[in-house]
């Protein structure tokens, strides 16, 4: 999934899937190609509309009968609010399709959403420029995450281990129908279930309006019988029809799993099409590698092509690299009313310029002339998920090499802190020692937030400072920072200045940051790719076997987690305690490029001898 959170990932996918098709591997177990994102588990429960779309004006109160779904809402990609709710405009041309057109965000209320506000790309632009336009932000959360710092209302909810209302889930990467049973574990704090939050808010609305339907809509929550909703989903989902939730719940309490009734175990995309000649969910019913839609032709992506990254490249960003070909006839910047040499971030998203490799290799990222020289990637940590490194101090100190439960260096914001992996040779050329503090500065056009040049107070919060870790495993010019770390906030900086121990802990909320200033999201931004916002592309819907065209949430829309940037790195402070000398592991000779004789002998295996 990680490589798919980059701007031009679909071109990579078209190339690799075409290769798999040409070699006869698509749909074959062991030879297939695919990807997984958490949202797609929803498709395994295509009976979900029984719950999420129950008609609020025709509520079914009989637990033995199904609901009568009728949707009174339309979806919009959450990633547009990350782009200040405006479409992509290049020159005088709108490149966002009508089916994708965003509207102003009035409120946000999210749960189980990976700290969607704290981890959102272009985070500081979001909180300083977009949030003032939003009227209410509510968060259901286990931990006081960065999202909570910026919310108007925070509901403390049960962790999975504390659930008093059952739930279920599934994944395309394993064969199980997973039930979360009611737990006998007592709640650690004064929390309630996510679903109880909604029922309680509804009960207040019923009180204010006198309309009993607000309570009726959550009848089975109020009766502690949410099994009804889960059974309705089971009964109306292709892969779960025939299961009895009460039986599944009883088995789950004994640790007995259930299998998801999919055609293959685990799910193998394309098996039905290959085995039964079932049509694919495309306009032709076949795998399509040539895109005939006007938007793809205009973008120069009707053929599978290579495009450079939109930001994390040493070359000119987002260019198509291809030899002359009669099928490639993209609309250039001039066709959209833009200048050909306009490489500003927004224009760059829809700038279609084709170079041969000989031409492309002579180009450079527009910031190279200003001393920017590093690709900056922010992938997820393999052994963590979103916010786990910060949740408890004993977990946090294991997150990287800068953990210190005693905090000998009071500059450290927590018992650990954010760091960037950098090639040792690159670091040495910049005068940066292993463990030093560094500044990481992104494209000044609009990061860390638009208007930072005239907002000194917020810029102090948003400019990223972190430790540098020598990491020979990364190529020269390519740096990495793990995605999972809590960002600096005005409150965390206040704590660092006012507390005797110097912890970056908000004195009002106890929020604990992992950065002295900024975060991994100081360098990223939201990007909009034209071919992910078309009105003509035929695609499968989220639920069932229906197909349609144009926007569909999580199916045909912009990616929500672009992880790329191009940055300048400079030394901020020495890594030794209180800013004096070298970081201690360097002094001890146990770090790359600073190995003591004993360390070199150890690495050569000389500490062990055969008898």
């Amino acid at each position: 999934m990680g490589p798919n959170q980059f701007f031009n990932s679909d071109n990579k996918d078209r190339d690799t899937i075409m290769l798999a098709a040409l070699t006869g591997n698509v749909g074959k177990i062991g030879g297939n190609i695919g990807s997984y994102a958490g949202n797609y588990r929803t498709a395994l429960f295509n009976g979900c509309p029984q719950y999420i779309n129950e008609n609020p004006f025709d509520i079914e109160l009989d637990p033995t009968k199904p609901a009568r779904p009728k949707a009174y809402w339309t979806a919009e990609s959450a990633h547009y609010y990350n782009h200040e709710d405006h479409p992509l405009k290049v020159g005088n041309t709108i490149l966002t399709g009508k089916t994708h057109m965003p509207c102003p965000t009035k409120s946000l209320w999210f749960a189980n959403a990976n700290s969607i506000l704290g981890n959102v790309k272009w985070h500081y632009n979001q909180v300083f420029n977009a949030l003032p336009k939003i009227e209410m932000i509510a968060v259901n959360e286990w931990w006081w995450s960065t999202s909570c710092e910026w919310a108007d209302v925070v509901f403390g909810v049960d962790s999975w281990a504390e659930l008093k209302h059952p739930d279920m889930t599934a994944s395309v990467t394993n064969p199980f129908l997973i039930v979360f049973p009611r737990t006998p574990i007592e709640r650690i704090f004064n929390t309630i279930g996510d679903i109880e939050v909604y029922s309680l808010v509804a009960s207040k609305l019923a009180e204010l309006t006198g309309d009993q339907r607000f309570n009726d809509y959550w009848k089975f929550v109020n009766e502690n019988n949410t099994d009804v909703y889960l059974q309705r989903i089971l009964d109306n989902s292709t892969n779960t029809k025939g299961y009895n939730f009460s039986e599944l719940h009883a088995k789950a309490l004994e640790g007995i799993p259930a299998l998801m009734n999919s055609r293959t175990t685990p799910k193998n995309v394309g098996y039905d099409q290959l085995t039964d000649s079932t049509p694919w969910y495309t306009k032709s019913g076949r795998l399509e590698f040539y895109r005939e839609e006007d938007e793809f032709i205009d973008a120069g992506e009707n053929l599978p092509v290579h495009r450079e990254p939109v930001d994390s490249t040493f070359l000119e960003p987002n260019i198509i690299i291809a030899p002359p070909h009669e099928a490639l006839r993209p609309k250039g910047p001039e066709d959209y009313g833009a200048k050909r040499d306009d490489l500003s971030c927004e224009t760059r998203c829809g700038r279609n310029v084709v170079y041969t490799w000989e031409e492309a290799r002579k180009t450079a990222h527009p910031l190279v002339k200003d001393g920017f020289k590093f690709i900056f990637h922010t992938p997820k940590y393999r052994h963590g998920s979103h916010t786990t490194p910060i949740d408890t101090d004993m977990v946090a100190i294991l997150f990287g090499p800068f953990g210190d439960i005693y905090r000998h260096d009071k500059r450290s914001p927590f018992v650990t802190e954010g760091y960037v992996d950098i090639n040792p040779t690159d670091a040495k050329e910049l005068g940066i020692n292993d463990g030093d503090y560094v500044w990481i500065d992104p494209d000044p056009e609009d990061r860390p937030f638009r208007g930072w040049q005239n907002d000194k107070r917020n810029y102090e919060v948003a400019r990223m400072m972190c430790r540098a870790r020598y990491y020979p495993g990364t190529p020269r010019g390519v740096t990495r920072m793990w995605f999972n770390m809590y960002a600096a906030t005005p409150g965390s900086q206040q704590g660092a200045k006012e507390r005797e121990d110097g912890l970056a802990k908000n004195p009002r909320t106890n929020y604990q940051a992992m950065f002295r200033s900024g975060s991994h999201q100081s360098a990223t931004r939201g990007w909009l790719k034209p071919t992910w916002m078309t009105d003509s592309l035929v695609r499968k819907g989220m639920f069932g076997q229906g197909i349609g065209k144009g926007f569909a949430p999580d199916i045909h829309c912009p990616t929500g987690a672009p992880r790329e940037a191009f940055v300048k790195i400079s030394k901020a402070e020495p890594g030794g305690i209180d800013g004096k000398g070298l970081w201690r592991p360097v002094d001890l000779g146990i770090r790359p490029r600073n190995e003591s004789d004993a360390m070199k002998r150890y690495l050569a295996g000389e500490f062990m001898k055969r008898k």
Side-chain angles (χ1 to χ4, degrees):
M1 185 57 204
N4 280 347
Q5 295 179 329
F6 287 81
F7 189 79
N8 286 311
S9 61
D10 58 322
N11 292 314
K12 173 263 300 175
D13 289 343
R14 289 172 66 193
D15 292 341
T16 51
I17 294 172
M18 183 171 68
L19 179 60
L22 290 172
T23 55
N25 282 295
V26 171
K28 289 186 178 178
I29 297 174
N32 208 1
I33 187 168
S35 174
Y36 168 69
N39 300 25
Y40 294 116
R41 73 186 68 195
T42 314
L44 294 171
F45 295 104
N46 56 312
C48 275
Q50 277 283 312
Y51 174 68
I52 62 176
N53 286 343
E54 181 173 6
N55 189 341
F57 303 105
D58 183 20
I59 305 166
E60 181 52 70
L61 301 179
D62 187 337
T64 66
K65 295 180 180 179
R68 291 170 291 281
K70 184 176 181 180
Y72 285 89
W73 59 281
T74 56
E76 181 179 300
S77 175
H79 314 316
Y80 287 112
Y81 100 98
N82 182 211
H83 209 260
E84 298 186 63
D85 292 318
H86 62 74
L88 175 63
K89 184 178 181 181
V90 175
N92 55 23
T93 307
I94 298 293
L95 296 183
T96 297
K98 293 181 180 178
T99 60
H100 297 256
M101 197 59 63
C103 65
T105 299
K106 298 288 284 183
S107 65
L108 291 169
W109 188 354
F110 45 89
N112 195 27
N114 308 327
S115 188
I116 195 171
L117 185 55
N119 272 330
V120 72
K121 309 302 156 185
W122 214 3
H123 167 78
Y124 291 101
N125 191 67
Q126 191 66 33
V127 297
F128 294 141
N129 288 324
L131 258 55
K133 303 172 186 175
I134 298 176
E135 294 183 7
M136 185 198 77
I137 299 173
V139 183
N140 294 11
E141 190 57 279
W142 305 354
W143 310 96
W144 195 273
S145 66
T146 319
S147 295
C148 301
E149 282 286 275
W150 297 99
D152 297 299
V153 182
V154 178
F155 298 101
V157 295
D158 299 333
S159 66
W160 292 328
E162 300 169 289
L163 293 182
K164 306 307 178 191
H165 294 274
D167 208 341
M168 63 186 179
T169 188
S171 167
V172 296
T173 57
N174 69 59
F176 300 112
L177 171 58
I178 302 165
V179 170
F180 294 77
R182 294 177 178 84
T183 175
I185 299 174
E186 291 187 9
R187 285 167 167 145
I188 301 171
F189 301 106
N190 185 25
T191 56
I192 60 177
D194 283 288
I195 201 168
E196 292 176 275
V197 173
Y198 309 128
S199 67
L200 284 170
V201 170
S203 70
K204 188 62 178 179
L205 291 171
E207 177 187 323
L208 292 171
T209 63
D211 193 333
Q212 178 59 27
R213 288 175 298 187
F214 283 107
N215 282 324
D216 289 344
Y217 206 64
W218 303 96
K219 169 183 168 64
F220 301 114
V221 180
N222 299 328
E223 295 177 354
N224 195 26
N225 191 22
T226 47
D227 306 41
V228 172
Y229 301 125
L230 296 167
Q231 187 62 55
R232 288 175 177 175
I233 294 172
L234 289 172
D235 291 342
N236 290 275
S237 295
T238 306
N239 292 317
T240 62
K241 193 181 296 289
Y243 273 124
N244 180 283
F245 186 77
S246 295
E247 294 176 2
L248 292 175
H249 187 273
K251 289 181 178 179
L253 287 170
E254 298 178 21
I256 301 173
L259 291 176
M260 179 65 78
N261 295 318
S262 53
R263 182 76 180 274
T264 61
T265 301
K267 189 172 180 63
N268 192 69
V269 174
Y271 183 87
D272 291 357
Q273 285 78 5
L274 186 70
T275 305
D276 300 334
S277 296
T278 302
W280 290 88
Y281 297 97
T282 62
K283 184 161 49 178
S284 66
R286 301 178 178 184
L287 285 176
E288 299 174 353
F289 296 105
Y290 180 82
R291 296 258 50 89
E292 64 181 11
E293 294 83 3
D294 290 341
E295 299 100 325
F296 281 85
I297 295 173
D298 292 347
E301 297 181 33
N302 43 323
L303 291 174
V305 294
H306 169 76
R307 292 191 84 133
E308 280 298 293
V310 74
D311 205 15
S312 58
T313 174
F314 304 110
L315 306 179
E316 193 171 300
N318 206 27
I319 55 173
I320 298 170
I321 300 180
H325 194 287
E326 60 183 359
L328 291 180
R329 300 188 297 272
K331 284 188 174 180
E334 300 87 351
D335 296 308
Y336 294 139
K339 294 182 179 179
R340 193 171 184 83
D341 60 355
D342 183 355
L343 290 173
S344 59
C345 294
E346 201 76 351
T347 299
R348 191 189 306 168
C349 294
R351 183 176 179 272
N352 307 315
V353 175
V354 183
Y355 289 141
T356 66
W357 169 238
E358 287 303 316
E359 294 169 327
R361 68 193 302 178
K362 299 173 185 176
T363 67
H365 193 288
L367 292 177
V368 167
K369 66 182 186 307
D370 300 319
F372 287 68
K373 57 189 298 185
F374 292 101
I375 289 170
F376 179 72
H377 287 168
T378 61
K380 293 180 184 176
Y381 182 53
R382 184 176 183 181
H383 305 293
S385 177
H386 296 285
T387 62
T388 50
I390 196 68
D391 294 338
T392 64
D393 51 10
M394 293 308 294
V395 173
I397 59 171
L398 302 175
F399 188 74
F402 298 101
D404 177 8
I405 198 69
Y406 298 107
R407 291 185 64 248
H408 291 93
D409 193 333
K410 300 308 179 187
R411 296 177 301 170
S412 181
F414 190 33
V415 294
T416 192
E417 56 189 306
Y419 59 93
V420 63
D421 286 330
I422 185 170
N423 184 281
T425 302
D426 285 337
K428 283 181 175 292
E429 287 183 356
L430 295 173
I432 296 169
N433 294 308
D434 197 4
D436 282 351
Y437 278 102
V438 296
W439 295 110
I440 300 182
D441 291 308
D443 192 331
E445 177 191 333
D446 54 20
R447 279 165 276 171
F449 58 93
R450 288 188 304 99
W452 64 267
Q453 297 91 337
N454 300 314
D455 191 344
K456 188 175 182 180
R457 179 183 175 187
N458 284 329
Y459 181 61
E460 183 182 349
V461 175
R463 189 185 184 194
M464 183 178 9
M465 175 188 278
C466 65
R467 295 272 192 172
R469 176 173 80 161
Y470 278 18
Y471 191 76
T474 191
R476 292 203 63 182
V478 179
T479 61
R480 176 184 67 189
M481 177 176 284
W482 296 118
F483 166 86
N484 317 63
M485 298 173 278
Y486 279 14
T489 68
S492 72
Q493 284 203 337
Q494 179 186 351
K497 293 176 181 177
E498 295 179 358
R499 293 175 60 101
E500 288 187 15
D501 58 14
L503 274 175
K505 184 187 285 278
N506 188 330
R508 296 177 299 282
T509 65
N510 282 333
Y511 170 77
Q512 175 63 68
M514 280 179 80
F515 291 87
R516 293 168 64 185
S517 63
S519 83
H520 51 300
Q521 308 300 22
S522 297
T524 58
R525 100 190 279 279
W527 303 92
L528 296 177
K529 183 172 169 63
T531 52
W532 292 354
M533 300 185 294
T534 78
D535 295 326
S536 58
L537 183 70
V538 172
R539 80 295 179 276
K540 184 180 179 296
M542 173 65 82
F543 299 114
Q545 280 64 55
I547 61 173
K549 64 180 182 179
F551 170 77
D554 294 322
I555 305 295
H556 183 42
C557 63
T559 185
R563 305 189 177 282
E564 53 188 290
F566 199 68
V567 301
K568 175 164 53 177
I569 298 178
S570 55
K571 183 170 180 174
E573 299 172 5
I577 292 177
D578 297 328
K580 300 172 184 176
L582 297 170
W583 181 42
R584 187 165 181 266
V586 178
D587 265 338
L588 293 175
I590 58 175
R591 294 291 300 155
R593 300 292 178 90
N594 291 285
E595 300 91 341
S596 65
D597 289 340
M599 187 64 176
K600 291 177 181 177
R601 293 198 343 262
Y602 166 75
L603 293 172
E606 296 178 7
F607 278 27
M608 297 179 65
K609 291 184 179 180
R610 291 181 180 274
K611 289 187 177 181

